[in-house]
Amino acid sequence: HCGGERFSVRAKLLVGADGRNSWVARQLGVASEPPNRSAAVGFEIQLQDVPGVHGSVEIHQFAGGYAGLVRVDADRVNLCFTVNRSLLGRSVSFENLRERFLRRNPVLHELLSASEPISSLGSAWPVYFPARRCFGDGFILVGDAARVTEPITGEGIFLALRSGQLAGMTLAAALTEGNLSSVRLGEYDQACRAEFGARLRLNTVIRNLVYRPRLLSLAIRFLSRRKRLLHSLVHAVCQRRAAF
């Protein structure tokens, strides 16, 4: 709309880089199906009066989800956490969520026992969804518009920026050739699969463990006795590509 009038703009190429709830993907008919009620909802809030949490990111699991804590400055800590959507009910105030879920982890409960919110509670849903079809005749989806990874492994911004680089390389060649067909732009998807495939498979394993406390506990015990394997997994999650 412009000045109350509706008009259309036609282009040879459309790049959708408009986030996890991509309007472009919906208009193109390639948006993912809505996740089921077991999908997690993500929350974020800043707190004061939280002891410790210096120089590291703390991950705490509880029945129904997990939380991450990182210090912003001397007074503020950023708390992000997920909760299984089917468990939420109607009340989603921070106090309600802290009482019903966060206190299930005694260490986390102790950390947050005297904390006070200093920001509003933000939320995002879904936390995760699998890759969408990210290309077609004359269009490409980039970043979270194409795929959203489980945030416990981090690096979501890196993956989004790197997918933008891969899209740019594909588009530069396709525009030079004057070929914006689905077959030509499909090379972008192939490049993403080659670049991110192993990482996304690892993310899937971690995602399946993190919502299952008993399995995660067994995995941690197993890895604690195999430090070389643990270091290899951490490297696989945190590595940077030289090309980036």
Side-chain angles (χ1 to χ4, degrees), residues 115-198:
S115 65
E116 293 293 335
I118 52 176
S119 74
S120 58
L121 180 68
S123 64
W125 182 80
V127 169
Y128 160 86
F129 63 76
R132 296 166 170 158
R133 184 186 175 200
C134 60
F135 68 95
D137 290 329
F139 79 87
I140 272 181
L141 300 180
V142 175
D144 282 357
R147 57 178 59 76
V148 173
T149 61
E150 178 64 51
I152 193 171
T153 60
E155 307 300 326
I157 294 175
F158 166 74
L159 294 174
L161 292 174
R162 182 59 179 152
S163 74
Q165 283 189 323
L166 297 174
M169 289 186 283
T170 299
L171 293 177
L175 288 167
T176 299
E177 298 167 7
N179 181 3
L180 297 175
S181 68
S182 176
V183 172
R184 183 65 179 87
L185 298 186
E187 293 183 13
Y188 159 67
D189 184 55
Q190 295 171 19
C192 286
R193 292 176 185 275
E195 183 90 8
F196 308 138

Coordinates of all heavy atoms in Angstrom, one line a residue, residues 115-198:
S115 N 15.9 -12.8 42.2 CA 15.9 -12.0 41.0 C 14.7 -11.2 40.7 O 13.6 -11.6 41.2 CB 16.2 -12.8 39.7 OG 15.1 -13.7 39.5
E116 N 14.8 -10.0 40.1 CA 13.7 -9.2 39.7 C 13.7 -8.8 38.2 O 14.8 -8.5 37.7 CB 13.7 -7.9 40.6 CG 13.4 -8.2 42.0 CD 12.0 -8.7 42.3 OE1 11.1 -8.4 41.5 OE2 11.8 -9.3 43.4
P117 N 12.6 -8.9 37.5 CA 12.6 -8.5 36.1 C 12.9 -7.0 35.9 O 12.4 -6.2 36.7 CB 11.2 -8.9 35.6 CG 10.7 -9.9 36.6 CD 11.3 -9.5 37.9
I118 N 13.7 -6.7 34.9 CA 13.9 -5.3 34.6 C 13.6 -5.1 33.1 O 14.0 -4.1 32.5 CB 15.3 -4.8 34.9 CG1 16.4 -5.8 34.3 CG2 15.5 -4.7 36.4 CD1 17.8 -5.3 34.5
S119 N 12.9 -6.0 32.5 CA 12.4 -5.8 31.1 C 11.1 -6.6 31.0 O 10.7 -7.4 31.9 CB 13.4 -6.4 30.1 OG 13.4 -7.8 30.1
S120 N 10.4 -6.4 29.9 CA 9.2 -7.2 29.7 C 9.6 -8.6 29.2 O 10.7 -8.8 28.8 CB 8.3 -6.5 28.7 OG 9.0 -6.3 27.5
L121 N 8.6 -9.5 29.3 CA 8.9 -10.9 28.9 C 8.6 -11.0 27.4 O 7.4 -10.7 27.0 CB 7.9 -11.8 29.7 CG 8.1 -13.3 29.3 CD1 9.4 -13.9 29.8 CD2 6.9 -14.1 30.0
G122 N 9.6 -11.3 26.6 CA 9.4 -11.5 25.2 C 9.2 -13.0 24.9 O 9.6 -13.9 25.7
S123 N 8.6 -13.3 23.7 CA 8.4 -14.7 23.4 C 8.5 -14.9 21.9 O 8.3 -13.9 21.1 CB 7.0 -15.2 23.8 OG 6.0 -14.4 23.2
A124 N 8.8 -16.1 21.5 CA 8.8 -16.5 20.1 C 8.3 -17.9 19.9 O 8.6 -18.8 20.8 CB 10.3 -16.4 19.6
W125 N 7.6 -18.1 18.8 CA 7.1 -19.5 18.6 C 6.9 -19.7 17.0 O 6.5 -18.7 16.4 CB 5.7 -19.7 19.2 CG 5.1 -21.0 19.0 CD1 5.4 -22.2 19.7 CD2 4.1 -21.4 18.0 NE1 4.7 -23.2 19.2 CE2 3.9 -22.8 18.2 CE3 3.4 -20.7 17.0 CZ2 3.0 -23.5 17.4 CZ3 2.5 -21.4 16.3 CH2 2.3 -22.8 16.4
P126 N 7.4 -20.8 16.5 CA 8.0 -21.9 17.2 C 9.5 -21.6 17.4 O 10.1 -20.7 16.7 CB 7.9 -23.0 16.2 CG 7.9 -22.4 14.9 CD 7.1 -21.1 15.1
V127 N 10.1 -22.2 18.4 CA 11.5 -22.1 18.6 C 12.3 -22.7 17.5 O 13.3 -22.2 17.0 CB 11.9 -22.8 20.0 CG1 13.4 -22.9 20.1 CG2 11.3 -22.0 21.1
Y128 N 11.8 -23.8 17.0 CA 12.5 -24.6 15.9 C 11.5 -25.0 14.9 O 10.4 -25.3 15.2 CB 13.2 -25.8 16.5 CG 13.5 -26.9 15.5 CD1 14.7 -26.8 14.8 CD2 12.6 -27.9 15.2 CE1 15.0 -27.8 13.9 CE2 12.9 -28.9 14.3 CZ 14.1 -28.8 13.6 OH 14.4 -29.7 12.7
F129 N 11.9 -25.0 13.6 CA 11.2 -25.7 12.6 C 12.2 -26.1 11.5 O 13.2 -25.5 11.3 CB 10.1 -24.8 11.9 CG 10.5 -23.6 11.2 CD1 11.1 -23.6 10.0 CD2 10.3 -22.3 11.8 CE1 11.5 -22.5 9.3 CE2 10.7 -21.2 11.2 CZ 11.3 -21.3 9.9
P130 N 11.9 -27.2 10.8 CA 12.9 -27.8 9.9 C 12.9 -26.9 8.6 O 12.2 -26.0 8.4 CB 12.3 -29.2 9.5 CG 10.8 -29.0 9.8 CD 10.7 -28.1 11.0
A131 N 13.9 -27.2 7.8 CA 14.2 -26.5 6.6 C 12.9 -26.5 5.7 O 12.2 -27.5 5.5 CB 15.3 -27.0 5.8
R132 N 12.7 -25.3 5.1 CA 11.6 -25.2 4.1 C 12.2 -25.3 2.7 O 13.4 -25.3 2.5 CB 11.0 -23.8 4.2 CG 10.3 -23.4 5.5 CD 10.0 -22.0 5.6 NE 9.1 -21.7 6.7 CZ 9.0 -20.5 7.3 NH1 9.8 -19.5 6.9 NH2 8.2 -20.3 8.3
R133 N 11.3 -25.5 1.7 CA 11.8 -25.3 0.4 C 12.3 -23.9 0.2 O 11.5 -23.0 0.3 CB 10.8 -25.7 -0.7 CG 11.3 -25.7 -2.1 CD 10.2 -25.9 -3.1 NE 10.8 -25.7 -4.4 CZ 10.1 -25.5 -5.5 NH1 8.7 -25.4 -5.4 NH2 10.6 -25.4 -6.7
C134 N 13.6 -23.7 -0.1 CA 14.1 -22.3 -0.1 C 14.5 -21.8 -1.4 O 15.2 -20.8 -1.5 CB 15.4 -22.3 0.9 SG 16.7 -23.4 0.3
F135 N 14.0 -22.4 -2.5 CA 14.3 -21.8 -3.8 C 13.2 -22.2 -4.8 O 12.4 -23.1 -4.5 CB 15.6 -22.4 -4.3 CG 15.6 -23.9 -4.6 CD1 15.3 -24.4 -5.9 CD2 15.7 -24.8 -3.6 CE1 15.2 -25.7 -6.2 CE2 15.7 -26.2 -3.9 CZ 15.4 -26.6 -5.1
G136 N 13.1 -21.6 -5.9 CA 12.2 -21.9 -7.0 C 12.4 -20.9 -8.1 O 13.4 -20.2 -8.1
D137 N 11.6 -21.0 -9.1 CA 11.8 -20.1 -10.3 C 11.7 -18.6 -9.8 O 10.7 -18.1 -9.4 CB 10.7 -20.3 -11.3 CG 10.9 -21.7 -12.0 OD1 12.0 -22.1 -12.2 OD2 9.8 -22.3 -12.4
G138 N 12.9 -18.0 -9.8 CA 12.9 -16.5 -9.5 C 12.9 -16.2 -8.1 O 12.7 -15.0 -7.7
F139 N 13.1 -17.1 -7.1 CA 13.1 -16.7 -5.7 C 14.0 -17.6 -4.9 O 14.4 -18.7 -5.3 CB 11.7 -16.8 -5.1 CG 11.2 -18.2 -4.7 CD1 11.5 -18.7 -3.5 CD2 10.5 -18.9 -5.6 CE1 11.1 -20.0 -3.1 CE2 10.0 -20.2 -5.3 CZ 10.3 -20.7 -4.0
I140 N 14.5 -17.0 -3.8 CA 15.4 -17.7 -2.8 C 15.0 -17.2 -1.4 O 14.6 -16.1 -1.2 CB 16.9 -17.4 -3.1 CG1 17.4 -18.4 -4.1 CG2 17.7 -17.4 -1.8 CD1 18.9 -18.2 -4.4
L141 N 15.0 -18.1 -0.5 CA 14.8 -17.8 0.9 C 16.1 -17.9 1.7 O 16.9 -18.8 1.4 CB 13.8 -18.7 1.6 CG 12.4 -18.7 1.0 CD1 11.5 -19.7 1.8 CD2 11.7 -17.3 1.1
V142 N 16.4 -16.9 2.5 CA 17.7 -16.8 3.2 C 17.5 -16.7 4.7 O 16.5 -16.2 5.2 CB 18.5 -15.6 2.7 CG1 19.8 -15.4 3.5 CG2 18.8 -15.7 1.2
G143 N 18.4 -17.3 5.5 CA 18.4 -17.1 6.9 C 17.3 -17.8 7.6 O 16.9 -18.9 7.2
D144 N 16.7 -17.2 8.6 CA 15.6 -17.8 9.3 C 14.3 -18.1 8.5 O 13.5 -18.9 8.8 CB 15.2 -17.0 10.6 CG 16.2 -17.2 11.7 OD1 17.1 -18.0 11.6 OD2 16.0 -16.5 12.8
A145 N 14.2 -17.3 7.4 CA 13.1 -17.6 6.5 C 13.2 -19.0 5.9 O 12.2 -19.5 5.5 CB 13.1 -16.5 5.4
A146 N 14.4 -19.5 5.8 CA 14.6 -20.8 5.2 C 14.6 -21.9 6.2 O 14.1 -23.0 6.0 CB 15.9 -20.8 4.4
R147 N 15.3 -21.7 7.3 CA 15.4 -22.7 8.4 C 15.8 -22.1 9.7 O 16.4 -21.0 9.7 CB 16.5 -23.7 8.0 CG 17.9 -23.1 7.8 CD 18.9 -24.2 7.5 NE 18.6 -25.0 6.3 CZ 18.8 -24.6 5.0 NH1 19.2 -23.3 4.8 NH2 18.5 -25.4 4.0
V148 N 15.3 -22.7 10.8 CA 15.6 -22.2 12.1 C 16.1 -23.3 12.9 O 15.5 -24.4 13.0 CB 14.3 -21.6 12.8 CG1 14.6 -21.2 14.3 CG2 13.9 -20.3 12.1
T149 N 17.3 -23.2 13.5 CA 17.9 -24.3 14.3 C 17.6 -24.2 15.7 O 17.3 -23.1 16.2 CB 19.4 -24.3 14.1 OG1 20.0 -23.0 14.6 CG2 19.8 -24.4 12.6
E150 N 17.7 -25.3 16.4 CA 17.5 -25.3 17.9 C 18.5 -24.3 18.6 O 19.7 -24.5 18.4 CB 17.7 -26.7 18.4 CG 17.6 -26.8 19.9 CD 16.2 -26.5 20.4 OE1 15.2 -27.1 19.8 OE2 16.0 -25.7 21.3
P151 N 18.0 -23.3 19.3 CA 18.9 -22.3 19.8 C 19.9 -22.8 20.9 O 20.9 -22.1 21.2 CB 18.0 -21.3 20.4 CG 16.7 -22.0 20.7 CD 16.6 -23.1 19.6
I152 N 19.7 -24.0 21.5 CA 20.7 -24.4 22.5 C 22.1 -24.5 21.9 O 23.1 -24.4 22.7 CB 20.2 -25.7 23.2 CG1 21.0 -26.0 24.4 CG2 20.3 -26.9 22.2 CD1 20.6 -27.1 25.3
T153 N 22.2 -24.8 20.7 CA 23.5 -24.9 20.1 C 24.1 -23.6 19.6 O 25.2 -23.5 19.2 CB 23.5 -25.8 18.8 OG1 22.6 -25.3 17.9 CG2 23.1 -27.2 19.2
G154 N 23.3 -22.5 19.7 CA 23.8 -21.2 19.3 C 24.1 -21.1 17.8 O 23.6 -21.9 17.0
E155 N 24.8 -20.1 17.4 CA 25.3 -19.9 16.1 C 24.2 -19.6 15.0 O 24.4 -19.7 13.8 CB 26.1 -21.1 15.6 CG 27.2 -21.5 16.5 CD 28.3 -20.4 16.8 OE1 28.5 -19.6 15.8 OE2 28.8 -20.3 17.9
G156 N 23.0 -19.3 15.5 CA 21.9 -19.0 14.5 C 22.3 -17.8 13.6 O 22.0 -17.8 12.4
I157 N 22.9 -16.8 14.2 CA 23.3 -15.6 13.4 C 24.3 -16.0 12.3 O 24.3 -15.6 11.2 CB 23.7 -14.4 14.3 CG1 22.6 -13.9 15.1 CG2 24.3 -13.3 13.4 CD1 23.0 -12.9 16.1
F158 N 25.3 -16.8 12.8 CA 26.3 -17.2 11.8 C 25.7 -18.0 10.7 O 26.0 -17.8 9.5 CB 27.3 -18.1 12.5 CG 28.2 -18.9 11.6 CD1 29.2 -18.3 10.9 CD2 28.0 -20.2 11.4 CE1 30.0 -19.0 10.0 CE2 28.8 -21.0 10.5 CZ 29.8 -20.3 9.8
L159 N 24.8 -18.9 11.0 CA 24.1 -19.7 9.9 C 23.3 -18.9 9.0 O 23.3 -19.1 7.8 CB 23.2 -20.8 10.5 CG 24.0 -21.9 11.3 CD1 22.9 -22.8 12.0 CD2 24.9 -22.7 10.4
A160 N 22.7 -17.8 9.5 CA 21.9 -17.0 8.7 C 22.8 -16.1 7.7 O 22.5 -16.0 6.5 CB 21.0 -16.0 9.5
L161 N 23.9 -15.6 8.3 CA 24.8 -14.8 7.5 C 25.5 -15.6 6.4 O 25.7 -15.2 5.3 CB 25.8 -14.1 8.4 CG 25.2 -13.0 9.3 CD1 26.3 -12.5 10.2 CD2 24.7 -11.8 8.5
R162 N 25.9 -16.8 6.8 CA 26.6 -17.7 5.9 C 25.6 -18.1 4.8 O 26.0 -18.2 3.6 CB 27.1 -18.9 6.6 CG 27.9 -19.9 5.7 CD 29.0 -19.2 5.0 NE 29.8 -20.2 4.2 CZ 30.5 -19.8 3.1 NH1 30.5 -18.6 2.7 NH2 31.1 -20.7 2.4
S163 N 24.3 -18.4 5.1 CA 23.4 -18.7 4.0 C 23.2 -17.5 3.1 O 23.0 -17.7 1.9 CB 22.0 -19.1 4.6 OG 21.3 -18.0 5.1
G164 N 23.3 -16.3 3.6 CA 23.3 -15.1 2.8 C 24.4 -15.0 1.8 O 24.3 -14.7 0.6
Q165 N 25.6 -15.4 2.3 CA 26.8 -15.5 1.4 C 26.6 -16.5 0.3 O 26.9 -16.2 -0.9 CB 28.0 -15.8 2.2 CG 28.6 -14.6 3.0 CD 29.9 -15.0 3.6 OE1 30.1 -16.2 4.0 NE2 30.8 -14.1 3.7
L166 N 26.1 -17.7 0.7 CA 25.9 -18.7 -0.3 C 24.9 -18.3 -1.3 O 25.0 -18.6 -2.5 CB 25.5 -20.0 0.4 CG 26.6 -20.6 1.3 CD1 26.0 -21.8 2.0 CD2 27.8 -21.0 0.6
A167 N 23.8 -17.6 -0.9 CA 22.8 -17.1 -1.8 C 23.4 -16.1 -2.7 O 23.1 -16.1 -3.9 CB 21.6 -16.5 -1.0
G168 N 24.2 -15.2 -2.2 CA 24.8 -14.2 -3.0 C 25.7 -14.7 -4.1 O 25.6 -14.2 -5.3
M169 N 26.4 -15.8 -3.8 CA 27.3 -16.4 -4.8 C 26.5 -17.0 -5.9 O 26.8 -16.9 -7.1 CB 28.2 -17.4 -4.2 CG 29.3 -16.7 -3.3 SD 30.6 -17.9 -2.7 CE 29.6 -18.6 -1.3
T170 N 25.4 -17.7 -5.5 CA 24.5 -18.4 -6.5 C 23.8 -17.3 -7.4 O 23.8 -17.5 -8.6 CB 23.5 -19.2 -5.8 OG1 24.1 -20.3 -5.0 CG2 22.5 -19.9 -6.8
L171 N 23.3 -16.3 -6.7 CA 22.6 -15.3 -7.5 C 23.5 -14.5 -8.4 O 23.1 -14.1 -9.5 CB 21.9 -14.3 -6.5 CG 20.8 -15.0 -5.7 CD1 20.2 -13.9 -4.7 CD2 19.7 -15.5 -6.6
A172 N 24.7 -14.2 -8.0 CA 25.6 -13.5 -8.9 C 25.9 -14.2 -10.2 O 25.8 -13.7 -11.3 CB 26.9 -13.2 -8.1
A173 N 26.1 -15.6 -10.0 CA 26.3 -16.4 -11.2 C 25.1 -16.5 -12.1 O 25.1 -16.4 -13.3 CB 26.8 -17.8 -10.8
A174 N 23.9 -16.7 -11.4 CA 22.6 -16.9 -12.1 C 22.3 -15.6 -12.9 O 21.8 -15.7 -14.0 CB 21.5 -17.3 -11.1
L175 N 22.4 -14.5 -12.3 CA 22.1 -13.2 -13.0 C 23.1 -12.9 -14.1 O 22.6 -12.4 -15.2 CB 22.2 -12.0 -12.0 CG 21.1 -12.0 -10.9 CD1 21.4 -11.0 -9.8 CD2 19.7 -11.6 -11.6
T176 N 24.3 -13.3 -14.0 CA 25.3 -13.1 -15.1 C 24.9 -14.0 -16.2 O 25.0 -13.6 -17.4 CB 26.7 -13.5 -14.6 OG1 27.1 -12.6 -13.5 CG2 27.7 -13.4 -15.7
E177 N 24.4 -15.2 -15.9 CA 24.0 -16.1 -17.0 C 22.6 -15.8 -17.5 O 22.2 -16.3 -18.6 CB 24.0 -17.5 -16.5 CG 25.3 -18.0 -16.0 CD 25.2 -19.3 -15.2 OE1 24.1 -19.9 -15.1 OE2 26.3 -19.8 -14.7
G178 N 21.8 -15.0 -16.8 CA 20.4 -14.7 -17.2 C 19.5 -15.9 -17.0 O 18.5 -16.1 -17.7
N179 N 19.9 -16.8 -16.0 CA 19.1 -18.0 -15.8 C 18.7 -18.0 -14.3 O 19.5 -18.3 -13.4 CB 20.0 -19.2 -16.1 CG 19.3 -20.5 -15.8 OD1 18.1 -20.5 -15.5 ND2 20.0 -21.6 -16.0
L180 N 17.4 -17.7 -14.0 CA 16.9 -17.7 -12.7 C 15.9 -18.8 -12.5 O 14.9 -18.7 -11.7 CB 16.2 -16.3 -12.4 CG 17.2 -15.1 -12.4 CD1 16.4 -13.8 -12.2 CD2 18.3 -15.3 -11.3
S181 N 16.1 -19.9 -13.2 CA 15.2 -21.0 -13.1 C 15.4 -21.8 -11.8 O 16.4 -21.6 -11.1 CB 15.5 -22.0 -14.2 OG 16.7 -22.6 -14.1
S182 N 14.4 -22.6 -11.4 CA 14.5 -23.4 -10.2 C 15.7 -24.3 -10.2 O 16.3 -24.5 -9.2 CB 13.2 -24.2 -10.1 OG 13.2 -25.0 -8.9
V183 N 16.0 -24.8 -11.4 CA 17.1 -25.7 -11.5 C 18.4 -25.0 -11.1 O 19.3 -25.5 -10.4 CB 17.2 -26.4 -12.9 CG1 18.5 -27.2 -13.0 CG2 16.0 -27.3 -13.1
R184 N 18.6 -23.8 -11.7 CA 19.8 -23.0 -11.4 C 19.9 -22.6 -10.0 O 20.9 -22.7 -9.4 CB 19.9 -21.8 -12.4 CG 21.2 -21.0 -12.3 CD 22.3 -21.8 -12.7 NE 23.6 -21.1 -12.6 CZ 24.4 -21.0 -11.5 NH1 23.9 -21.6 -10.4 NH2 25.5 -20.3 -11.5
L185 N 18.8 -22.1 -9.5 CA 18.8 -21.5 -8.1 C 18.9 -22.7 -7.1 O 19.2 -22.4 -5.9 CB 17.6 -20.6 -7.8 CG 17.5 -19.4 -8.7 CD1 16.4 -18.5 -8.3 CD2 18.8 -18.6 -8.7
G186 N 18.5 -23.9 -7.5 CA 18.6 -25.0 -6.6 C 20.1 -25.3 -6.2 O 20.3 -26.0 -5.2
E187 N 21.0 -24.7 -6.9 CA 22.4 -24.9 -6.5 C 22.7 -24.2 -5.1 O 23.6 -24.6 -4.4 CB 23.3 -24.4 -7.6 CG 23.3 -25.2 -8.8 CD 24.3 -24.7 -9.9 OE1 25.2 -23.8 -9.5 OE2 24.1 -25.1 -11.1
Y188 N 21.9 -23.2 -4.8 CA 22.0 -22.6 -3.5 C 21.6 -23.6 -2.4 O 22.3 -23.7 -1.4 CB 21.1 -21.4 -3.5 CG 20.7 -20.9 -2.1 CD1 21.6 -20.4 -1.2 CD2 19.4 -21.0 -1.7 CE1 21.2 -19.9 0.1 CE2 19.0 -20.5 -0.4 CZ 19.9 -20.0 0.5 OH 19.5 -19.6 1.7
D189 N 20.5 -24.3 -2.6 CA 20.1 -25.3 -1.6 C 21.1 -26.4 -1.5 O 21.4 -26.8 -0.3 CB 18.8 -25.9 -2.0 CG 18.2 -26.9 -1.0 OD1 18.1 -26.5 0.2 OD2 17.9 -28.0 -1.3
Q190 N 21.7 -26.8 -2.6 CA 22.8 -27.8 -2.5 C 24.0 -27.3 -1.7 O 24.6 -28.1 -0.9 CB 23.2 -28.2 -3.9 CG 22.1 -28.9 -4.7 CD 22.5 -29.0 -6.2 OE1 23.6 -29.0 -6.6 NE2 21.5 -29.3 -7.1
A191 N 24.3 -26.1 -1.9 CA 25.5 -25.5 -1.2 C 25.2 -25.4 0.3 O 26.0 -25.7 1.1 CB 25.8 -24.1 -1.7
C192 N 23.9 -25.1 0.7 CA 23.5 -25.0 2.1 C 23.6 -26.4 2.7 O 24.1 -26.6 3.8 CB 22.1 -24.4 2.2 SG 22.0 -22.7 2.0
R193 N 23.1 -27.4 2.0 CA 23.1 -28.8 2.5 C 24.6 -29.3 2.7 O 24.9 -29.9 3.7 CB 22.4 -29.7 1.6 CG 20.9 -29.5 1.6 CD 20.2 -30.4 0.5 NE 18.8 -30.1 0.4 CZ 17.8 -30.6 1.2 NH1 18.2 -31.4 2.2 NH2 16.6 -30.2 1.0
A194 N 25.5 -28.9 1.8 CA 26.8 -29.3 1.9 C 27.5 -28.6 3.1 O 28.3 -29.2 3.8 CB 27.6 -29.0 0.6
E195 N 27.2 -27.3 3.3 CA 27.8 -26.5 4.3 C 27.3 -26.8 5.7 O 28.0 -26.9 6.7 CB 27.5 -25.0 4.0 CG 28.2 -24.1 5.0 CD 29.6 -23.6 4.6 OE1 30.0 -24.0 3.5 OE2 30.2 -23.0 5.4
F196 N 25.9 -27.0 5.8 CA 25.3 -27.1 7.1 C 24.8 -28.5 7.5 O 24.4 -28.8 8.6 CB 24.1 -26.2 7.2 CG 24.4 -24.8 6.8 CD1 23.5 -24.1 6.0 CD2 25.5 -24.1 7.2 CE1 23.7 -22.8 5.7 CE2 25.7 -22.8 6.9 CZ 24.8 -22.1 6.1
G197 N 24.9 -29.5 6.5 CA 24.2 -30.8 6.7 C 24.7 -31.5 8.0 O 23.8 -31.9 8.8
A198 N 26.0 -31.6 8.2 CA 26.5 -32.3 9.4 C 26.1 -31.6 10.7 O 25.7 -32.2 11.7 CB 28.0 -32.5 9.3

